[in-house]
Amino acid sequence: MNKNWPLWEIFVRSKNGLEHRHFGSLHAADAEMALENARDVYTRRSEGVSIWVVESKHITASNPEHNGELFEPAQDKIYRHPTFYDLPDDVKHM
Amino acid sequence: MSEAQQNNNGAERSLSLEEIFEQRIANDEKIEPKDWMPEKYRKTHIRQISQHAHSEIIGMLPEGNWITRAPSLRRKVALLAKVQDEAGHGLYLYSACETLGISREELYEQLHSGKAKYSSIFNYPTITWADMGAIGWLVDGAAIINQVPLCNTSYGPYARAMIRVCKEESFHQRQGFEIMLTLCNGTEAQKQMAQDALNRWWWPSLMMLGPTDAESIHTEQSMKWKLKRKTNDDLRQQFIDQTVPQADILGLTIPDPDLKWNEETGHYDFGEIDWDEFWQVVKGHGPCNKERMNARVGAWERGTWVRDAAMAYAEKQQNKKENQAKAG
């Protein structure tokens, strides 16, 4: 046979009120085993209250070589930030 | 598009990419898996991270030897937790290494065939319970000194794995020191057992920090990439300076007649390390090299049917789901 266990990406919510954050990855035969392994590998000291597992092949990532086209257009839109607008100092609560 | 990317001349283009890359590292930027990197950077990182991962996995064996014979339940749960952490550290590191484009199977293959190395310290035997104390105190102590600077290394996934490893490692050293302290406060025979363990682990622990700077072929490049932040000799001196006062607290004698405080340098002077022994062990002629590899390869081979069965079960469940969806 010789079929290798696929790779899974592990996301953990460290406590309620916080988002799930990427913790790392591991190999497992299926989603259920990925959850069990993630419990042992990433939460041995109560680091989490919830775990998501996603098979790595399902993640589509942006290419850092295209960072220019993707992210630079935001750089000259300074009018999206509150400090762009001139207000007299005596205006309060704004 | 940057100037480097617009240049069509192959050789000049790759040189410029490399310059940009070195600049990023000099600016303390992190390199992430999909970023362009020189092939040598990738290869060096695969070598170092995998060697580190293999050391965690093989490092479980000398301590696993004593789990069933721990002298109390307190000691047993602590040792179990420590060995489990080591498995975890190996897994963090393997997955960091896989982001560089090498598969887990290739990594295991390199370990099992002897192509990849692991820390030579794990080729020494653990013959008494005091060895559990000495390993935690000295071997984990030296490992922490090695690992703390790596939390700042340039490759993102490695740095993140190391932060987690370092957070967990400090209990390892404390539990080891506590074992030593208990033995040293016990009967004369127990204290002797602690001294004997120190005698056997002291020199291999110093060797663990790597060959002297003059002999270390990778140091210069690794310093530039921040894969190493201090030289082997600096790390070794730091380890000796902080460990000697700890031995004094235990009331044990470091097995080095040349060891003495140097008022001028503000460091301990120490005796000659037997580098022939170090290279013998690295080359496979240590007391337990064969035993360790047999244990590791044997466990992997005996586990084949379990891995295959898990995969077959997963596929069966998947097919069942698909068939139900079609029928429904």
Side-chain angles (χ1 to χ4, degrees), chain B residues 164-317:
Chain B
R164 208 170 289 130
V165 168
C166 286
K167 244 190 229 163
E168 299 181 349
E169 199 96 22
S170 87
F171 118 70
H172 296 185
Q173 196 189 13
R174 291 172 67 107
Q175 69 91 37
F177 193 81
E178 197 193 81
I179 291 172
M180 293 301 268
L181 194 61
T182 306
L183 290 170
C184 290
N185 290 333
T187 64
E188 189 49 36
Q190 285 172 325
K191 189 165 182 185
Q192 278 313 311
M193 204 205 253
Q195 180 66 55
D196 166 65
L198 171 59
N199 292 350
R200 284 181 291 106
W201 290 95
W202 175 252
W203 291 104
S205 300
L206 297 190
M207 295 173 197
M208 197 185 148
L209 294 155
T212 57
D213 295 347
E215 299 265 328
S216 177
I217 44 173
H218 304 300
T219 295
E220 197 187 331
Q221 180 66 75
S222 295
M223 295 282 277
K224 208 164 116 198
W225 286 336
K226 300 180 179 173
L227 188 48
K228 208 170 210 176
R229 316 286 315 230
K230 288 179 176 179
T231 70
N232 295 350
D233 286 337
D234 285 346
L235 294 170
R236 190 161 19 245
Q237 188 67 58
Q238 185 188 341
F239 174 71
I240 293 170
D241 289 347
Q242 71 182 48
T243 307
V244 175
Q246 295 167 355
D248 292 341
I249 291 173
L250 294 172
L252 295 178
T253 310
I254 305 257
D256 178 359
D258 297 323
L259 185 82
K260 78 171 185 286
W261 177 250
N262 184 328
E263 201 63 59
E264 231 168 86
T265 59
H267 296 291
Y268 283 91
D269 292 335
F270 55 97
E272 193 74 31
I273 294 171
D274 181 359
W275 290 111
D276 283 345
E277 176 182 323
F278 174 75
W279 291 115
Q280 283 297 316
V281 179
V282 169
K283 286 178 186 142
H285 309 301
C288 302
N289 295 57
K290 268 216 178 103
E291 189 184 328
R292 301 292 181 240
M293 285 316 288
N294 286 344
R296 168 63 201 165
V297 175
W300 179 250
E301 284 172 355
R302 287 192 302 276
T304 308
W305 73 270
V306 180
R307 296 191 299 276
D308 288 349
M311 209 56 219
Y313 177 76
E315 275 167 15
K316 203 168 138 189
Q317 295 298 105

Side-chain angles (χ1 to χ4, degrees), chain A residues 54-72:
Chain A
V54 183
E55 208 178 327
S56 307
K57 68 176 184 197
H58 295 310
I59 290 184
T60 308
S62 66
N63 183 340
E65 280 171 32
H66 302 154
N67 276 6
E69 300 95 290
L70 270 180
F71 303 114
E72 273 167 26

Side-chain angles (χ1 to χ4, degrees), chain A residues 13-25:
Chain A
R13 185 202 295 288
S14 45
K15 62 177 189 185
N16 275 8
L18 294 178
E19 65 278 66
H20 285 77
R21 199 165 60 81
H22 185 237
F23 263 45
S25 48

Side-chain angles (χ1 to χ4, degrees), chain B residues 88-149:
Chain B
H89 297 173
L91 292 175
Y92 305 156
L93 289 161
Y94 279 130
S95 54
C97 199
E98 284 173 81
T99 64
L100 290 161
I102 186 166
S103 71
R104 182 73 60 93
E105 290 65 38
E106 286 172 86
L107 290 168
Y108 285 161
E109 166 56 27
Q110 291 179 353
L111 172 64
H112 296 164
S113 68
K115 188 179 168 229
K117 302 279 180 232
Y118 54 87
S119 183
S120 60
I121 193 103
F122 301 118
N123 291 315
Y124 289 86
T126 46
I127 54 185
T128 73
W129 170 251
D131 290 358
M132 297 304 98
I135 287 181
W137 173 36
L138 301 172
V139 177
D140 287 280
I144 290 169
I145 282 185
N146 227 343
Q147 289 169 350
V148 167

